[in-house]
Amino acid sequence: MTSETTNSKQSGRALPSMSVLGPILALVLLVVIGALLNPNFLGAANITNVLARSAFIGIIAVGMTFVITAGGLDLSVGSMAAFIAGLMILVMNAALPSMGVGVPIILLGMLVAIVAGILAGLLNGFLITTVGIEAFIVTLGSMGIYRSLVTWLADGGTLSLDFGLRTFYRPVYFDGILGISWPIIVFALVVIIGEIVMSRARFGRHCAATGSNEHVAHYSNVNVNRTRLITYALLGLLVGVATIMYVPRLGSASSSTGVLWELEAIAAVIIGGTVLKGGFGRVWGTVIGVLILSLIDNILNLTDLVSPYLNGAIQGVIIILAVILQREAKAKG
Amino acid sequence: MSYMKNILAGATAIALGASAAYAQDTKVIGVSIPAATHGWAGGMNYHAQETVERLEEVYPQLDFVLATASDAGKQVNDIEDMVATRNISALVVLPFESDPLTPPVQAVADSGAWVTVVDRGLSVEGIEDLYVAGDNEGFGRVSGEYMASKMPDGGKIVVLRGIPTTIDNMRVEGFEGAIEGSGIEIIGMEHGNWNRDDSFNVMQDFLSKYDQIDAVWASDDDMAVGVLAAIDAAGRDDVQFVLGGAGMKEMVKRVMDGDSMIPADVTYPPSMIATAIEMTAVGLTSNAPVAGTFTIGSVLITPENAEQFYYPDSPF
């Protein structure tokens, strides 16, 4: 039955399966719709805007791809990003009188973000692997903790980077090389490294093995706990990197920073074809997922076709459609 | 009445260093407000705490219980706890949402306690003794009137709206009414959700979509921050000014300094909670009548009067 359908569908062409094509088709379709609806859509400015603002979720989603592939989940990344942003701002403001405005203080801020990210990721990973608590519960807990901590640090208001420091740091979001802004460059680098690690390196295979069947992986000499722990630490590191790009944009962090980033990252990972239960992951697919989500928002803002009250509904429909498209194809192919 | 109350009152009196004579008459005022989940609420929390601390000094015969709730359900629990365990004589409440809070506040009123409602009204009229109201429609109207006066020849503007709620609708209606016939045309309107990041994205897209935008009604100071960053990054000089709202200290400062992009601001003061607590305390301790409705008007902040709206210590 199955092979028949496949044969009749695929006879005479050597195209990749729909699970590969599905997300790409959805993305192409969105780009075509966008271009038809608004002539500015394909302008360099708009493309830069969309890619740069996708970078935060995108960088985080690459890390999330590894966590989900290894059979885990992390709900805390949005709050973690807000907390790290707040911490970074506090440290940089505190160091300002002694260090002054300059490259060293920016590097200090970046170091704080990276170290805090790795530590936060390790803490999640430790509680999940060594203590053996469900990932959903651990990260739900840490999500609440980081969100409260940033509210507390900000005294319920907004933490703002010193004005002079912000002006100095601002180019990290807005400038770049050859007209390509830094967040896009960093995002691209993270994706390329992530894709290589996922599909070519031993660590990627260990993640897939762990997520697919823990016991089999264990007997195949994969250190399951260590693999999982590293995925969470890696995700924490990438949250730190995303925060380094985020802080120079508006120079502030508050309790409303990074709200629902975790769900956007998870949605992007799943749209991209990674299996939510683990065992199979695709970093390039995640990138497509992130771009699909950003483009929907962008297109809805650029046109007046739909009432803004319905933006969420449109997004929901497209997410579900993108996944159905793959599921159908997988069942057949 | 009970030993409990006397013990409580006594403990408070000692804690406050007040004389024991007052212990007999100590009255408890419960204050229930939403938690500091965004800038405005943070400011409101700050003013509530500050007022409670100050009034405990001023009135040794009063004791305050302050509870912050992250959702309507928690706020209902808070109020029930205050009645059950603290025997409150008065309740000052800024309802999270009108409908779910109406029955529990009604129950407090029925028990004989004084009820002060702040900002958002309850669904049933006549429950509260004192209503300290924010004027959302007036907020929109003052903003619209300012826009109209600032752009006598009309022009094209974009509008950023808050989280879709009744509050937001009332503001936008007030605004649209005020600019009617002024020649100002709203060419785009999207929700920025009172959030800096969301409004940054929305404004970037507005700038891609429209080649000429004369001004922006950001309708909130947090959103104005995002809007300004987007305009700045795009390097566009067609936008003459951005009008925010609420009275965030950074924005008031910019008005005070004569920043041409932020020529004015419209208040929706989070300190209205202070007005409510203060008036309730006056009502409980003196013969001065405070029942009724007290509307806090939305005022236009200009460089001339900005100083009196600038609170450098507030987090908002």
Side-chain angles (χ1 to χ4, degrees):
Chain A
M1 275 286 281
T2 322
S3 61
E4 254 181 38
T5 331
T6 315
N7 286 342
S8 63
K9 278 264 176 195
Q10 293 199 333
S11 59
R13 49 187 181 142
L15 281 175
S17 72
M18 267 307 274
S19 82
V20 175
L21 279 181
I24 299 177
L25 281 180
L27 181 64
V28 170
L29 193 70
L30 276 175
V31 171
V32 171
I33 292 175
L36 288 178
L37 287 174
N38 195 306
N40 294 331
F41 178 75
L42 289 177
N46 191 51
I47 291 177
T48 304
N49 285 348
V50 171
L51 288 177
R53 76 173 75 138
S54 307
F56 314 132
I57 304 278
I59 292 169
I60 293 172
V62 170
M64 190 68 86
T65 310
F66 284 91
V67 168
I68 291 180
T69 303
L73 191 69
D74 194 335
L75 296 174
S76 69
V77 290
S79 310
M80 198 193 283
F83 170 66
I84 295 174
L87 196 64
M88 224 177 128
I89 291 171
L90 279 181
V91 169
M92 287 166 82
N93 282 348
L96 186 62
S98 55
M99 293 177 80
V101 176
V103 176
I105 195 165
I106 303 294
L107 292 178
L108 172 75
M110 291 180 173
L111 186 73
V112 167
I114 300 280
V115 171
I118 293 175
L119 286 180
L122 279 176
L123 181 66
N124 276 341
F126 169 77
L127 290 170
I128 291 161
T129 56
T130 312
V131 184
I133 312 171
E134 281 290 336
F136 187 93
I137 296 301
V138 170
T139 58
L140 187 67
S142 48
M143 169 171 128
I145 293 170
Y146 295 131
R147 182 69 58 202
S148 296
L149 282 178
V150 72
T151 314
W152 177 69
L153 287 179
D155 209 0
T158 303
L159 289 163
S160 294
L161 199 57
D162 176 84
F163 188 77
L165 208 49
R166 193 186 320 174
T167 317
F168 186 76
Y169 191 8
R170 210 171 160 272
V172 174
Y173 181 82
F174 291 102
D175 287 1
I177 311 172
L178 300 173
I180 304 169
S181 68
W182 284 112
I184 303 176
I185 295 170
V186 173
F187 182 26
L189 284 177
V190 167
V191 168
I192 291 167
I193 297 170
E195 177 62 34
I196 292 172
V197 170
M198 182 63 94
S199 58
R200 305 253 184 275
R202 195 195 305 165
F203 179 68
R205 287 196 297 279
H206 282 187
C207 286
T210 305
S212 144
N213 189 322
E214 217 174 296
H215 299 290
V216 173
H218 179 70
Y219 291 123
S220 318
N221 210 16
V222 173
N223 189 332
V224 172
N225 272 356
R226 203 183 64 189
T227 306
R228 286 225 167 109
L229 185 67
I230 293 173
T231 61
Y232 287 104
L234 180 72
L235 177 55
L237 164 72
L238 289 176
V239 171
V241 172
T243 311
I244 289 175
M245 301 282 119
Y246 171 82
V247 169
R249 186 169 80 170
L250 297 177
S252 65
S254 70
S255 55
S256 61
T257 300
V259 170
L260 294 184
W261 281 11
E262 58 282 347
L263 291 188
E264 278 197 46
I266 293 169
V269 171
I270 305 308
I271 293 173
T274 297
V275 181
L276 183 55
K277 282 190 265 201
F280 175 75
R282 214 159 50 184
V283 171
W284 65 263
T286 299
V287 178
I288 307 260
V290 170
L291 293 181
I292 287 176
L293 289 178
S294 307
L295 280 182
I296 298 170
D297 263 346
N298 181 239
I299 291 172
L300 289 172
N301 281 342
L302 288 179
T303 56
D304 302 313
L305 285 182
V306 191
S307 156
Y309 293 131
L310 288 174
N311 282 10
I314 306 279
Q315 220 166 22
V317 168
I318 292 180
I319 292 172
I320 294 172
L321 273 182
V323 177
I324 288 179
L325 211 59
Q326 293 175 38
R327 180 74 52 84
E328 292 277 298
K330 257 180 212 157
K332 284 175 197 151
Chain B
M1 279 136 249
S2 63
Y3 284 122
M4 194 59 202
K5 187 185 169 190
N6 281 332
I7 291 167
L8 255 175
T12 316
I14 291 161
L16 289 170
S19 74
Y22 281 117
Q24 238 78 30
D25 314 319
T26 299
K27 288 178 175 167
V28 181
I29 298 180
V31 180
S32 169
I33 53 175
T37 46
H38 58 273
W40 189 88
M44 193 259 301
N45 273 257
Y46 165 83
H47 285 290
Q49 275 166 19
E50 199 243 16
T51 309
V52 163
E53 274 167 32
R54 187 164 47 79
L55 291 184
E56 279 183 335
E57 298 278 326
V58 177
Y59 302 106
Q61 70 272 40
L62 289 182
D63 193 9
F64 291 86
V65 197
L66 176 66
T68 62
S70 49
D71 59 69
K74 165 111 178 13
Q75 194 171 23
V76 172
N77 296 347
D78 285 347
I79 293 172
E80 285 171 356
D81 288 350
M82 282 178 191
V83 173
T85 64
R86 300 302 301 267
N87 197 14
I88 51 174
S89 310
L91 172 70
V92 179
V93 58
L94 197 160
F96 220 100
E97 283 167 49
S98 302
D99 290 337
L101 264 305
T102 300
V105 174
Q106 172 125 50
V108 176
D110 290 347
S111 76
W114 176 277
V115 171
T116 303
V117 174
V118 194
D119 190 20
R120 227 157 297 173
L122 298 171
S123 311
V124 179
E125 276 178 42
I127 295 176
E128 68 273 0
D129 299 280
L130 168 65
Y131 180 27
V132 177
D135 184 5
N136 283 300
E137 208 243 313
F139 175 90
R141 194 181 56 245
V142 171
S143 306
E145 283 164 357
Y146 177 75
M147 279 265 177
S149 73
K150 181 91 177 160
M151 307 169 80
D153 305 324
K156 292 185 165 125
I157 63 164
V158 293
V159 172
L160 281 95
R161 307 185 57 162
I163 295 169
T165 45
T166 327
I167 300 172
D168 184 59
N169 291 342
M170 286 164 79
R171 290 179 174 187
V172 173
E173 275 162 28
F175 181 80
E176 284 175 328
I179 61 166
E180 214 173 70
S182 66
I184 295 176
E185 185 198 350
I186 300 177
I187 52 176
M189 190 140 64
E190 284 285 342
H191 290 276
N193 303 324
W194 292 317
N195 178 300
R196 294 180 178 198
D197 294 310
D198 290 357
S199 54
F200 177 83
N201 290 349
V202 168
M203 192 60 206
Q204 275 197 330
D205 291 344
F206 275 151
L207 289 167
S208 304
K209 189 175 172 184
Y210 305 111
D211 295 329
Q212 175 72 32
I213 298 171
D214 296 320
V216 182
W217 185 43
S219 80
D220 175 77
D221 288 335
D222 267 318
M223 291 205 282
V225 171
V227 167
L228 287 170
I231 296 172
D232 208 18
R236 287 268 293 259
D237 49 14
D238 50 327
V239 184
Q240 295 157 21
F241 69 97
V242 176
L243 182 63
M248 186 167 82
K249 63 178 176 191
E250 287 85 359
M251 286 296 160
V252 177
K253 184 81 177 31
R254 291 179 77 155
V255 175
M256 209 154 80
D257 296 345
D259 189 327
S260 65
M261 276 306 269
I262 305 287
D265 203 354
V266 179
T267 61
Y268 196 82
S271 49
M272 64 175 68
I273 189 72
T275 314
I277 300 173
E278 189 110 24
M279 286 174 81
T280 308
V282 168
L284 283 196
T285 53
S286 75
N287 295 326
V290 292
T293 300
F294 187 89
T295 305
I296 312 258
S298 282
V299 187
L300 188 70
I301 304 179
T302 57
E304 289 76 44
N305 67 357
E307 204 156 344
Q308 69 193 84
F309 296 100
Y310 185 55
Y311 309 102
D313 295 334
S314 161
F316 186 64

